Amino acid sequence: MEKNNLKAVVFDLDGVLTDSAKYHYQAWKMLADKLGIPFDEEYNEKLKGVSRMESLELILQNGNAQDKYTQEEKVAMATEKNEFYKQLLHQITPEDVLPGIHDFLEQLKAAGIKTAVASVSHNAPFILERLELDKYFDYICDAAQVPRAKPFPDIFLSAAQNLGVEPANCIGVEDAQAGIQAINAAGMMSVGVGIKSQMQEAKLILPSTAKLELGMLKEYFQLA
Ligand code: B16
Ligand code: MG
């Protein structure tokens, strides 16, 4: 295997390509209020990159209510949240693509570097369509086909496999701790975008997506 040769970049969606966390927050808040459970934006940080059912468990935990409901009731609650979330997603337009992402994707395309989306969201294809970003990617992971969510490496490994690239030749870009752990466990180089304290384990942390730039990343990658 050729080492230190960047062949693909695998992107998380929520928090990297667009800020859909604000819609997740509104939808979970609706449910938490209904259940009388405290929930605020700070607690919402814990849900980033975490699957839908695990997010519900974390919310119920905050109200000491995990054992109050049957699995069937929990599935109904998660479905109700998702229906509301899906309505909110209709507000997304191409203007909501985060800064620098278009330019970075163009740089990757021009350099012949492959791209994939590794989101645990079952709504990822719809969001990418709303953002008009779907055409940029060589592969979009199907969360339903990946048994273990982040922090397990499965979704990043699936992206590499479907791109036909070794994980060691990939960079993974994430905004959440669970996602950085998944990238590291997959054997890719992890790049975090956002607040440092939330991504201690990232190989490289950038303050914003606007700082994603191929030349600089290649240099880091070769030194890694
Ligand atoms: P859904 P990512 C994740 O997306 C979100 O960060 C997380 O908050 C959400 O619970 C999860 O997707 C599942 O999303 O309910 O739409 O299937 O960061 O992996 O792109
Ligand atoms: Mg994310």
Side-chain angles (χ1 to χ4, degrees):
M1 177 179 45
E2 286 172 82
K3 263 204 87 197
N4 299 340
N5 187 7
L6 179 62
K7 291 190 178 164
V9 177
V10 184
F11 295 81
D12 173 45
L13 199 171
D14 285 341
V16 171
L17 300 178
T18 194
D19 179 21
S20 32
K22 64 183 176 199
Y23 301 122
H24 278 298
Y25 173 67
Q26 285 177 47
W28 283 125
K29 179 78 180 143
M30 172 280 296
L31 185 75
D33 285 353
K34 218 169 140 177
L35 299 173
I37 289 175
F39 183 61
D40 58 16
E41 297 210 40
E42 198 190 325
Y43 198 79
N44 191 53
E45 288 298 318
K46 290 188 202 295
L47 313 184
K48 287 188 177 173
V50 174
S51 74
R52 195 183 305 165
M53 289 309 287
E54 283 173 76
S55 298
L56 175 64
E57 288 296 338
L58 286 171
I59 289 169
L60 294 176
Q61 205 175 306
N62 205 30
N64 275 325
Q66 293 127 290
D67 303 328
K68 234 171 128 178
Y69 303 100
T70 63
Q71 189 55 23
E72 214 177 1
E73 286 169 329
K74 287 180 183 177
V75 169
M77 286 175 198
T79 305
E80 188 184 346
K81 176 266 173 179
N82 192 51
E83 288 308 314
F84 186 44
Y85 176 65
K86 284 199 296 191
Q87 285 174 30
L88 298 173
L89 291 181
H90 285 273
Q91 295 173 34
I92 294 181
T93 74
E95 302 277 294
D96 294 311
V97 175
L98 285 173
I101 291 293
H102 279 124
D103 285 351
F104 185 48
L105 287 169
E106 292 291 354
Q107 286 173 6
L108 295 173
K109 196 181 249 251
I113 293 173
K114 291 184 176 170
T115 52
V117 177
S119 168
V120 297
S121 171
H122 290 71
N123 296 298
F126 180 71
I127 298 173
L128 290 169
E129 219 177 277
R130 294 289 309 163
L131 294 169
E132 295 179 12
L133 278 186
D134 38 350
K135 59 179 182 288
Y136 279 101
F137 295 99
D138 297 301
Y139 184 70
I140 295 167
C141 290
D142 179 356
Q145 300 298 320
V146 178
R148 297 182 306 174
K150 302 165 189 177
F152 288 101
D154 305 26
I155 197 156
F156 286 96
L157 291 174
S158 160
Q161 194 183 8
N162 281 284
L163 290 174
V165 171
E166 291 291 331
N169 295 120
C170 299
I171 282 177
V173 188
E174 262 285 352
D175 70 315
Q177 193 193 6
I180 293 291
Q181 289 169 339
I183 295 171
N184 290 342
M188 297 182 179
M189 183 181 132
S190 53
V191 175
V193 284
I195 302 163
K196 199 170 180 174
S197 62
Q198 288 163 14
M199 287 174 293
Q200 298 290 356
E201 295 155 60
K203 284 272 177 324
L204 171 68
I205 298 179
L206 302 173
S208 127
T209 51
K211 299 285 180 196
L212 287 165
E213 198 272 317
L214 181 57
M216 175 272 294
L217 285 176
K218 268 183 140 172
E219 268 179 44
Y220 262 91
F221 194 79
Q222 272 152 18
L223 294 172

